[in-house]
Amino acid sequence: MKITLTLNEKETALDADSNERLSSVLRRNNYRSIKAGCGHTSCGNCCTVLLDGLPVSSCMIPVGIVHGSAIVTLEHYEKSAVYSDIMHGFSRAGIVLCGYCNSAKIFAAHHVITHYKRPTRRIIDAAVRHLAPCCIDKDTLINGIIYASDSYAKHMGAHSVR
């Protein structure tokens, strides 16, 4: 079956069974930022993508339900200005990415900084609570997102009113 969607800003038709996991289909199509982890959303770490702008665990999404949706993988997102703001904030907090759970941390940060002008620790905690990162503690991650939010606000202030 052909599943049509926008993948990394390009109209795409994926050949897949509608019940197949989105993570499996993306990996089969050489999107390597999608890791094969727990397979049952308990980690929330390694298979995160943006689905219509929201971070989701692709290991639990049947590819048939994404027909007509927009998906962004980390490979594409890394080229964005927002990614640069997130990396600046993470670096300032001393976060070194391990390669395994990058997409979950980055897309959680994306969601927070693009939806809240001045996110509180409580808002950020709620956004990352489900994550089980193997390489960083929660407080450092929250600090990194606070710094990323500051960088994003400065970046957006230089280009437009938010």
Side-chain angles (χ1 to χ4, degrees):
M1 158 177 222
K2 292 283 185 190
I3 309 294
T4 57
L5 57 116
T6 303
L7 180 58
N8 294 334
E9 299 183 17
K10 293 181 184 175
E11 292 299 316
T12 304
L14 298 173
D15 196 16
D17 180 286
S18 63
N19 291 321
E20 192 173 357
R21 293 176 186 196
L22 176 59
S23 58
S24 298
V25 175
L26 292 173
R27 284 193 55 79
R28 186 171 64 243
N29 284 278
N30 296 314
Y31 292 96
R32 296 296 175 212
S33 67
I34 313 302
K35 308 291 189 246
C38 70
H40 50 80
T41 70
S42 68
C43 75
N45 286 329
C46 57
C47 66
T48 304
V49 297
L50 290 177
L51 173 61
D52 295 328
L54 297 174
V56 298
S57 296
S58 64
C59 71
M60 290 307 293
I61 307 287
V63 73
I65 68 169
V66 301
H67 179 76
S69 294
I71 295 172
V72 175
T73 65
L74 190 57
E75 289 93 339
H76 182 73
Y77 189 78
E78 288 174 337
K79 301 170 191 167
S80 72
V82 180
Y83 175 82
S84 295
D85 292 330
I86 292 168
M87 290 300 95
H88 181 264
F90 281 12
S91 175
R92 191 169 161 203
I95 296 172
V96 177
L97 297 176
C98 69
Y100 179 73
C101 54
N102 293 2
S103 62
K105 292 183 296 223
I106 291 165
F107 288 144
H110 164 86
H111 179 74
V112 169
I113 71 174
T114 60
H115 286 84
Y116 300 96
K117 189 170 186 174
R118 296 186 196 277
T120 63
R121 291 186 81 76
R122 186 175 183 178
I123 288 169
I124 298 169
D125 181 65
V128 301
R129 184 175 296 140
H130 70 286
L131 301 180
C134 55
C135 59
I136 191 166
D137 64 276
K138 187 170 67 168
D139 286 334
T140 303
L141 179 56
I142 289 171
N143 289 339
I145 294 173
I146 289 170
Y147 294 141
S149 178
D150 181 55
S151 181
Y152 179 72
K154 288 176 184 170
H155 172 236
M156 291 306 292
H159 299 295
S160 65
V161 175
R162 213 168 126 193

